[in-house]
Amino acid sequence: MTLYIQLLLNTLQIGSVYMLFALGLTLIFGVMKVVNFAHGTFFTAAALAIATVMPPAMYQLGLPVWAAYLIAFVAALAVVAVIGIVVYQFGFQKFLRDLIGSFILSIGLVLFLNGSYLAIFGGAPQKVPPLIDVNLSIFGAYITGQRLLLVVVAVGVTVGLYWLIQKTKLGLSLRAVAEDQEAAMLQGIQFRRVALYGFLIGTVLAAIAGAMMAPVHAITTVIGDEFLIKAFIIIIVGGLGSVGGAIIGAFLIAFIESVGGYYFDNSTATIAMFVLVMVVLLLRPQGIMGHAER
Amino acid sequence: MLNGKAGLALCILAGLGAIAFTLFADSPYYVQVVVWIFTNALLAASLRFVLLIGELNIATAAFFGIGAYTVGIATTIYDWPFLVAIVAAPLVAAAVSALFGWITLKTKGPYFLLISFAFTEVVRLVYSKSNAIGGNSGLIGIFPPMALDPWFPALVVTIMGGTLLALFWIEKTNLGRLFKAIQNNEDIVRSVGLNVTWLKVLCVIIASAAVGLGGGLHAYANSVITPGDFTFFVAVLALAYVKIGGEGHALGPIVGAVLLTVAGQWVAGLGMQENIFYGAIIIGAILLMPQGLVGIAARVAGVAVRKGGEGTR
């Protein structure tokens, strides 16, 4: 029993990071029809920003750990938002709805940004102190307070995103553009502005995931890329552009990873995920929640 | 300018020149660079071949690896003769790609792109998990027969050049025209009674057989292969060759491969960050010259080239 609860808790904590990551990807795809391989670099930038800002804020300014983290968190979001705006204005804007062009651009960005991170920060992994240094026990299963916080934030952000997409005017525009760009433009929706907002929301989601992951994971200059292949599997299984699909897919993949990782090992779990993708494709080529690709 | 018989003759002449160079050059290093150029050109041409039907096939890297591992396993574990191993490489790659294509080509565009990416990474994981084929450290000691050794680079370049010509030739036949028609509007192709899915699978099989052969030759030329040689990054570089050369013409990927391979050697010599260099080149190329060098050359010469990068939706 304890084992099952532990595996469930593991699924929850892995899944919540995957969810944030995949939601950003799927949102960007839905609005811009762009497959953004550079999504991981936003995640990395946020984690690196935390690692850069937090220690001096704590040791030189003498701030308590939560205040230092809060400042670093804001800095991380700002850095990623700036990168996002620059990348959109000078790059992706020219490749809206151009799958191959935008893919190539995003690959160029991955190489360029990851290379730059390595040149600036070096290859050694960095660590920052945890925010909450307690372990919680639930029916004999353990979870660190830090990771529980991560789950809570991820769920909160997802609820917020859901509200934004379902209830606000911007959300309506995002959905309209994702559904049919030309019809949306005929209704007076400014496609380019909506695409920019969609892209920025997606990058900020990656930044939140990266900033939340920083205190629980060794921070390297390629930390974000580890999530890329799984995030892609998640959005294929869930259906490209589908928010609900990304959430279901994230926890499904996290479940396979935590159970497969416990009984076998991580590589076997990844191979199992791929087999799952193939089965889903044979049965439902458009993913669990996706619409038919026409 | 590039489409006429003169252009083809020029290409064949350049190929013969390369073969002669590998036979008579003194420096093993330059011979090696020529072999790399041809390997990269073949990778890029194979990637571009699937672009004819409008799909971006990252699994090009996987089939390159499958060809290489076929030769590696056949030579080091089963002691098969050279000729059998080198024929097996494209056959195995073609067979796996048939299954892969049959399942995945029901999807298209972004789905196919992402699945081919995931496939490449998973195949690599399978290699590194399989201890019988060397796991993470791969296979060593894949040598061509001793008698072939002096002219082996020339043989590799000849076969690869021939494969490039074959891909070019298929593109010019009616089959090639059908592939392009599928990219433009597959419903029209379907409406005249052709099986579009089967044609797409055939396109992937042809491209994979070509690149599988290339992988097999690469295994012999390198004599060591590891799972890390066949990441999706191989296909990304191939895409960079295609984009820089220009995808509107079969010559584009070859021009791109020559330029970037030479430039890559130069950068490696400088000890600069290679990734920043490739990243900057790819970003610059896609932003400044979306039709590549061959596109620019054609525009200068006043020849219209099919606009690349569109038609995928």
Side-chain angles (χ1 to χ4, degrees):
Chain A
M1 189 60 197
T2 308
L3 174 65
Y4 295 128
I5 293 174
Q6 185 69 60
L7 288 179
L8 216 61
L9 279 179
N10 291 352
T11 303
L12 208 61
Q13 42 183 293
I14 303 170
S16 51
V17 179
Y18 287 175
M19 179 173 73
L20 285 182
F21 198 96
L23 276 175
L25 264 180
T26 211
L27 196 69
I28 290 173
F29 178 82
V31 177
M32 301 163 68
K33 299 291 177 283
V34 161
V35 174
N36 184 20
F37 268 63
H39 204 64
T41 61
F42 303 141
F43 182 102
T44 310
L48 287 170
I50 297 269
T52 312
V53 174
M54 211 174 151
M58 279 176 69
Y59 303 122
Q60 270 137 47
L61 299 178
L63 292 172
V65 64
W66 58 269
Y69 181 77
L70 222 56
I71 292 173
F73 191 86
V74 172
L77 291 199
V79 166
V80 173
V82 168
I83 297 179
I85 290 174
V86 169
V87 161
Y88 179 85
Q89 286 295 344
F90 295 100
F92 284 113
Q93 196 187 27
K94 294 178 180 151
F95 298 96
L96 296 175
R97 311 188 79 82
D98 173 357
L99 179 71
I100 294 180
S102 59
F103 168 75
I104 295 168
L105 178 67
S106 72
I107 285 288
L109 284 172
V110 170
L111 294 178
F112 186 78
L113 288 174
N114 278 353
S116 306
Y117 296 157
L118 188 64
I120 298 169
F121 296 98
Q126 309 182 54
K127 270 212 163 288
V128 294
L131 282 180
I132 311 169
D133 216 356
V134 285
N135 284 326
L136 299 170
S137 165
I138 303 168
F139 296 114
Y142 282 97
I143 183 169
T144 63
Q146 186 65 49
R147 284 182 184 268
L148 192 65
L149 179 71
L150 200 159
V151 174
V152 171
V153 169
V155 171
V157 168
T158 307
V159 170
L161 181 74
Y162 195 77
W163 174 80
L164 180 99
I165 288 177
Q166 294 298 333
K167 302 286 181 203
T168 65
K169 205 168 175 204
L170 174 62
L172 192 64
S173 319
L174 287 171
R175 277 185 289 147
V177 166
E179 195 72 34
D180 188 333
Q181 180 225 345
E182 278 159 11
M185 285 172 86
L186 283 172
Q187 299 299 318
I189 293 173
Q190 287 180 306
F191 173 52
R192 286 184 181 276
R193 179 179 293 177
V194 172
L196 171 63
Y197 289 150
F199 186 73
L200 280 183
I201 295 171
T203 54
V204 167
L205 286 175
I208 294 174
M212 293 303 299
M213 202 62 184
V216 292
H217 201 284
I219 303 162
T220 65
T221 56
V222 291
I223 176 174
D225 293 350
E226 296 167 23
F227 296 93
L228 206 57
I229 177 169
K230 277 164 197 155
F232 282 141
I233 289 180
I234 287 165
I235 58 178
I236 298 169
V237 170
L240 278 177
S242 157
V243 168
I247 297 170
I248 295 173
F251 286 104
L252 191 64
I253 293 301
F255 180 73
I256 295 177
E257 181 166 326
S258 70
V259 174
Y262 178 79
Y263 288 105
F264 304 98
D265 62 277
N266 277 332
S267 315
T268 313
T270 306
I271 294 169
M273 287 169 206
F274 186 72
V275 173
L276 173 82
V277 169
M278 286 295 168
V279 173
V280 168
L281 277 183
L282 278 173
L283 301 175
R284 266 184 82 81
Q286 70 276 36
I288 295 172
M289 305 276 281
H291 302 293
E293 179 83 355
R294 274 276 95 189
Chain B
M1 177 187 74
L2 295 163
N3 288 311
K5 287 225 159 54
L8 187 63
L10 201 70
C11 292
I12 294 176
L13 218 62
L16 291 177
I19 296 169
F21 181 81
T22 52
L23 281 176
F24 300 114
D26 293 329
S27 154
Y29 169 70
Y30 286 113
V31 171
Q32 189 66 55
V33 171
V34 171
V35 171
W36 281 332
I37 287 175
F38 271 78
T39 313
N40 291 338
L42 189 50
L43 273 163
S46 165
L47 188 86
R48 181 179 168 279
F49 198 79
V50 183
L51 274 174
L52 290 180
I53 57 166
E55 303 297 348
L56 189 51
N57 183 20
I58 304 295
T60 302
F63 295 117
F64 183 67
I66 288 172
Y69 262 89
T70 305
V71 158
I73 293 166
T75 313
T76 59
I77 297 175
Y78 293 109
D79 274 329
W80 285 2
F82 171 76
L83 211 59
V84 180
I86 208 67
V87 170
L91 290 182
V92 173
V96 177
S97 73
L99 185 66
F100 167 79
W102 177 66
I103 297 179
T104 58
L105 283 166
K106 293 190 177 95
T107 67
K108 56 183 176 182
Y111 281 89
F112 182 77
L113 165 69
L114 291 178
I115 293 158
S116 64
F117 165 74
F119 177 75
T120 309
E121 292 300 292
V122 167
V123 168
R124 187 172 63 82
L125 272 181
V126 172
Y127 297 144
S128 49
K129 290 288 299 167
S130 310
N131 289 328
I133 54 171
N136 263 325
S137 36
L139 293 167
I140 53 168
I142 308 160
F143 295 115
M146 206 69 103
L148 276 178
D149 214 34
W151 356 288
F152 192 70
L155 183 69
V156 169
V157 169
T158 311
I159 300 177
M160 285 183 174
T163 315
L164 284 171
L165 274 180
L167 286 177
F168 179 65
W169 174 74
I170 295 172
E171 189 184 331
K172 291 282 159 206
T173 62
N174 283 339
L175 186 62
R177 292 200 185 95
L178 272 179
F179 292 155
K180 284 181 196 169
I182 290 177
Q183 185 196 35
N184 286 333
N185 190 335
E186 64 176 70
D187 290 333
I188 291 180
V189 180
R190 193 172 285 121
S191 74
V192 296
L194 290 162
N195 186 339
V196 169
T197 307
W198 195 86
L199 279 169
K200 285 181 176 179
V201 176
L202 182 66
C203 180
V204 169
I205 291 176
I206 295 171
S208 304
V211 84
L213 179 62
L217 290 166
H218 165 81
Y220 275 124
N222 227 29
S223 66
V224 178
I225 51 173
T226 64
D229 300 343
F230 309 110
T231 64
F232 80 100
F233 193 66
V234 172
V236 166
L237 280 185
L239 184 61
Y241 306 144
V242 174
K243 267 293 157 183
I244 292 188
E247 63 177 299
H249 191 277
L251 211 55
I254 301 172
V255 172
V258 173
L259 278 179
L260 270 192
T261 310
V262 172
Q265 290 303 307
W266 177 66
V267 171
L270 288 181
M272 187 178 132
Q273 278 272 342
E274 272 180 77
N275 281 355
I276 298 183
F277 167 78
Y278 281 119
I281 286 222
I282 292 172
I283 296 172
I286 186 80
L287 288 178
L288 301 176
M289 42 175 217
Q291 293 186 37
L293 289 171
V294 171
I296 289 174
R299 204 179 319 150
V300 169
V303 186
V305 179
R306 180 177 65 90
K307 198 165 182 284
E310 291 187 348
T312 315
R313 245 248 62 200

